[in-house]
Amino acid sequence: MTDPEVLRIEVDLVIKALYERFGLDFRQYSRASLERRLQGLTERLELERVSELIPRLLHEPGFLDQAVNGIAVNVTEPFRDPECFAAIREQVFPVLRTYSYFKIWHAGCASGEEVYSMAILLKESGLLDRAQIYATDINTDALARARDGIYPAESIARGERNYQAAGGAGRLADYTVQQYGSARFDASLRENMVFSQHNIVSDEVFGEMVLIMCRNVMIYFERDLQNRVIDLFHRSLARRGFLALGAKESLLHLSAGQAFQTLDRVARLYRAI
């Protein structure tokens, strides 16, 4: 078993290598989560020590993506936390109807199930043709899955109840083509989507959004980093734009959260002041 103090030093060195060599800043990620994921990556690569990642990061072309994909958290499902999607449909969509064109940003979209969930609700509300949806993540493997829109058929089956609870007008399966145990979302849902790698920790504003979805990402960040990310979102929003966070996330104790008003505490839905 690795000595905790040795592990702390090794993780510090990996973080330093990622930051100084590639500009990727993991310094304020939740320490416990980062240690677990680096240890998991080390085991999958059949290495003995976390520090053995460093020479591969510095000298092995192409290893960076593999390392980042091993660190970044990727857990989601269709219409996850349906109360959030229901609140957006009821409180945000009436505002979106006043726009002839608007942008939505799914920051930290993981494998993309929630991006397709949003597109479905927009389509059912007659708003998809007006929307440009940006889906970003630091994890290139997850982005590739999101771009393909192919998921296990049982994932769609599990999402059916969430879809109904979010105010879905039909059946979630109606938006997919299923075969050989997989389900692919209809290509029409992807027409207004742009998938791109983006690191909310170190990258900057790239557009003026009316709605930003960043759900179950900031729980892995320390407080200072949470404030920095919320400030980035505020600067990325159009006037009186909306922000949706995950069920275990809140702006309540963040100084940057003072720039937002709470619309729905349960759904974690906020609006820029």
Side-chain angles (χ1 to χ4, degrees):
M1 180 177 292
T2 304
D3 180 277
E5 179 62 17
V6 173
L7 177 61
R8 182 190 65 79
I9 294 170
E10 289 186 306
V11 171
D12 283 344
L13 291 172
V14 172
I15 293 172
K16 183 179 177 67
L18 285 166
Y19 181 68
E20 295 196 359
R21 177 69 177 85
F22 304 104
L24 295 175
D25 193 351
F26 288 92
R27 292 175 297 179
Q28 294 183 61
Y29 272 59
S30 168
R31 187 67 184 209
S33 174
L34 192 56
E35 287 184 358
R36 286 195 303 271
R37 297 190 70 80
L38 283 173
Q39 286 180 300
L41 177 62
T42 300
E43 292 172 3
R44 289 194 297 276
L45 294 174
E46 299 182 346
L47 304 175
E48 291 186 10
R49 301 175 182 84
V50 169
S51 56
E52 292 179 47
L53 297 169
I54 298 172
R56 297 191 65 175
L57 279 168
L58 297 179
H59 304 296
E60 186 176 319
F63 184 69
L64 174 63
D65 275 352
Q66 186 176 355
V68 171
N69 293 346
I71 296 171
V73 179
N74 177 29
V75 179
T76 186
E77 63 184 19
F79 291 94
R80 185 180 188 183
D81 303 322
E83 63 275 5
C84 176
F85 287 92
I88 289 171
R89 182 175 58 83
E90 294 166 5
Q91 301 188 55
V92 178
F93 281 13
V95 177
L96 297 185
R97 289 191 180 93
T98 68
Y99 287 78
S100 59
Y101 172 79
F102 55 85
K103 298 178 182 178
I104 295 175
W105 178 18
H106 283 259
C109 71
S111 48
E113 287 94 323
E114 292 186 40
V115 183
Y116 290 96
S117 302
M118 176 62 68
I120 289 169
L121 285 192
L122 288 168
K123 185 170 185 175
E124 292 181 349
S125 298
L127 292 169
L128 185 57
D129 289 343
R130 309 185 200 182
Q132 180 70 65
I133 303 174
Y134 295 91
T136 68
D137 203 279
I138 193 174
N139 186 324
T140 54
D141 286 347
L143 276 174
R145 292 195 297 275
R147 189 178 291 110
D148 289 340
I150 303 174
Y151 306 99
E154 58 265 25
S155 173
I156 304 302
R158 288 196 305 269
E160 189 69 47
R161 180 177 297 181
N162 288 344
Y163 166 69
Q164 298 297 333
R171 293 176 60 251
L172 183 58
D174 292 340
Y175 293 96
T176 68
V177 175
Q178 301 194 27
Q179 57 182 354
Y180 307 116
S182 294
R184 183 169 194 170
F185 278 110
D186 190 274
S188 65
L189 298 174
R190 287 192 295 277
E191 291 178 358
N192 294 13
M193 294 180 185
V194 175
F195 295 92
S196 180
Q197 188 176 34
H198 181 278
N199 184 357
I200 59 175
V201 171
S202 57
D203 293 339
E204 263 300 333
V205 173
F206 65 90
E208 188 176 68
M209 310 294 163
V210 175
L211 169 63
I212 296 176
M213 306 280 287
C214 185
R215 308 187 63 249
N216 307 299
V217 175
M218 294 201 308
I219 54 174
Y220 301 103
F221 299 165
E222 299 291 348
R223 181 67 56 85
D224 287 348
L225 183 52
Q226 290 176 349
N227 275 306
R228 192 195 320 170
V229 170
I230 293 301
D231 177 67
L232 169 68
F233 291 157
H234 189 261
R235 290 185 286 112
S236 300
L237 282 170
R239 183 178 179 274
R240 300 286 288 152
F242 299 89
L243 172 66
L245 300 180
K248 296 182 179 179
E249 299 166 328
S250 173
L251 299 182
L252 185 61
H253 301 294
L254 297 179
S255 58
Q258 297 176 10
F260 292 85
Q261 68 178 106
T262 301
L263 292 184
D264 191 314
R265 193 175 302 278
V266 173
R268 298 297 197 266
L269 181 62
Y270 305 89
R271 194 173 190 182
I273 296 174

